[in-house]
Amino acid sequence: EMGPEEKAFQEKIDAEIKIEAKNWMPDSYRKTLIRQISQHAHSEIVGMLPEGNWVTRAPTLKRKLQLMAKIQDEAGHGLYLYSAMETLGADRDEEIEKLHSGRAKYSSIFNYPTLNWADMGAVGWLVDGAAIVNQVPLQRTSYGPYSRAMIRVCKEESFHQRQGYEILLHMMRHGIQAQKDMVQDAINRLWWPSLMMFGPSDAESPNSAQSLAWKIKRHTNDELRQRFIDQTIPQLELLGCTVPDPDLKWNEERGHYDFGEIQWEEFYEVLKGNGPCNRERLETRRNAIQDGAWVREAAVAHANKKQKQQAA
Ligand code: ACO
C-alpha cells in the first residue's frame, strides 16, 4: 500500500511533472538514481582513457584537436553528472572511492582496448552512437537535474558520433587497403561490446520494471538495442563494411533487423572486473588521484596563507 506522499509522488510522475531535488521522493527512487547517475558519471570519466591512448599518435593536428575536444567534453559530462548526483545527497568523494576500490560499476565498453587509429573512429561512431540512443530518451527522465544534464550531453555526443563516423568514412574513401582493413578490424572488435552497452536482455534486467514505472528509464534495454542496430546498419553499408554477425538480416515482417545471440557470459565477466582492461583502467584512475594529491595540498596551503594574510 502506498502512503499519501508516495501516491502524490507517483501521480506527479504519471503526469510527466519532473521531480526536483527538494521534493519528497521514496528512498528507493533516490537510491536508484544515485546508482544510475554515479555509474553514468564514472563511465564518462573512465571513457576518457581508451581515447587518451591515441592523443599523442593522432595522424594530423586537426585529428588531434578533435580528439582532445571530445575527451574534454567527456570530462565535462562526468563532472556535470556528479553534480546532478550530489543534488540527491550523495557524496562525490565517497562515490569515486567506490569506483577506485572496484565496488562501483561503469560501462562495460570501456574495458576493451583501442588498438589502432580506426578505433578512434569506431568508438565515436558506435560507442557514442549507442550512448546517444540510450541518452536521448533520458532527456525525459523523471528527475529534473538528470534530465536537464542530458540535454547538453546529447548535443555533444552527437558531435562525437559524427566526427567518429567521418574518420571511418575518410579512411574507407581515401585510405590504402591497410587502412580499410583497420576500419573493418575495429568494427569487428567493437560491434558486440557496443550492443552490450544497453545492458542485459529485458528478461535478465532486475532494475527495469521499477525504473520504467518511475520513468527513470523510458524504454527497455532490448528496445534501445534494437533501435541502435536499425539506425546503424544503413551507416555501416554506406561505409562498405560488415559486422561480425552471420545472423544479421532485415526482417520485413517485423520492420527491424534480426541479429545473433549476444555472448552474455563475456558481458558478465567484464562486469565482474575480468574484461581485457578493467585492472588497467582502475589503476590509471587511482594513479591520477594520487599524482594530483600535491596539487590539491598546495591549493589548500595557498588558500590558508591568503586567509591569514587578509586576517592580519
Ligand atoms: N556495463 C556495466 N554495467 C551494466 C551495463 C553495462 N553495459 N548494463 C547494465 N549494467 C549493470 C546495471 O548497472 C545493473 O547494475 P547494479 O544493479 O548492480 O547496479 C545491472 O547491470 C543490471 O542491469 P539493469 O537492471 O538493466 O540496470 P539498469 O536499469 O540500470 O539499466 C542502463 C542499465 C541501461 C545502462 C542504465 O543504467 C542507463 O541507462 N544508464 C545511463 C546511461 C549510462 O550509464 N551510460 C554509460 C555509457 S555511455 C557513455 O558514457 C559514453
Side-chain angles (χ1 to χ4, degrees), residues 35 39 105-106 108 134 196-197 199 205-207 217 221:
R35 178 183 66 79
Q39 288 174 358
K105 290 195 172 78
Y106 58 89
S108 49
N134 168 271
M196 293 175 193
M197 285 176 70
S205 163
N207 300 303
K217 286 169 92 161
N221 298 357

Side-chain angles (χ1 to χ4, degrees), residues 45-90:
I45 298 298
V46 178
M48 292 193 280
L49 301 178
E51 294 180 312
N53 190 33
W54 281 92
V55 169
T56 56
R57 287 175 288 163
T60 67
L61 179 61
K62 182 180 114 180
R63 295 297 185 197
K64 184 169 176 153
L65 290 171
Q66 283 177 347
L67 186 60
M68 280 176 21
K70 178 181 191 296
I71 295 169
Q72 284 178 358
D73 285 350
E74 275 147 17
H77 298 172
L79 299 181
Y80 212 42
L81 284 161
Y82 284 129
S83 296
M85 176 198 81
E86 284 175 323
T87 67
L88 292 155

Side-chain angles (χ1 to χ4, degrees), residues 284-295:
T284 307
R285 287 306 313 152
R286 281 194 296 265
N287 288 343
I289 289 276
Q290 242 170 34
D291 293 349
W294 70 272
V295 179

Side-chain angles (χ1 to χ4, degrees), residues 32 35-37 39-45 47 74 77 105-110 127-128 130-132 134-135 138 146 150 157 193 196-201 204-208 211 217 221 224 267-268 270-271:
T32 298
R35 178 183 66 79
Q36 178 166 325
I37 300 173
Q39 288 174 358
H40 193 165
H42 299 331
S43 304
E44 299 282 357
I45 298 298
E74 275 147 17
H77 298 172
K105 290 195 172 78
Y106 58 89
S107 186
S108 49
I109 188 71
F110 301 118
V127 175
D128 290 70
I132 294 170
N134 168 271
Q135 287 167 28
L138 289 177
Y146 191 28
M150 283 300 106
E157 296 287 9
M196 293 175 193
M197 285 176 70
F198 294 94
S201 71
E204 304 293 327
S205 163
N207 300 303
S208 279
S211 286
K217 286 169 92 161
N221 298 357
L224 294 176
F267 172 76
Y268 288 113
V270 173
L271 259 60

